[in-house]
Amino acid sequence: MSEQNPNAGVIESRTFNLPVDNIDTDQIIPAQFLTTTEREGLGQYCFHAWRFNDDGTPKASNPLRKHDAAIQQVLVAGTNFGCGSSREHAPWSLLDFGFRAVVSSRFADIFRSNALKNGLLPLQVDETVAEYLLDHPDQAVRIDIANHTFDVDGYGRFDFP
């Protein structure tokens, strides 16, 4: 009999904020990188146009340049995250980039379904919670998947489906 890890379904992390509404799947991973069915290695293309110039050099204005995948595994984004075309590569690239969950006040249905099927938690919260998180970058959070609770340090506990 194998021993269960009591924290296996728990994500304890700092948040990383992208306060942008209507982030579509082509922004998450551009179409030119959809040539593989392998999940590994897609993180290098995550938000590629936001991170790199056309010649491949890093953009000074890269909004993800301070992301630390070791401690910031929860992405907090504006409303309507994952809109646009259907592609499983979007959650694959987010996972490979270091995110385990995305928090938003609204997700596109197809993105939500693809994320859940592929191990990325799309955590939909009330707009007031989303606004608080966007106003407080690098927030400590705890997500207990089995108990469907989302704890925001110093702000409160919220249930999710």
Side-chain angles (χ1 to χ4, degrees), residues 29-41:
I29 185 164
Q32 71 260 33
F33 303 117
L34 304 181
T35 59
T36 182
T37 56
E38 297 295 320
R39 296 174 185 220
E40 294 173 9

Side-chain angles (χ1 to χ4, degrees), residues 8-11 100 119 121 142-149 160-161:
V10 173
I11 300 170
R100 295 179 59 200
L121 179 65
R142 184 178 192 276
I143 302 168
D144 185 329
I145 297 167
N147 291 309
H148 305 267
T149 58
F160 62 91

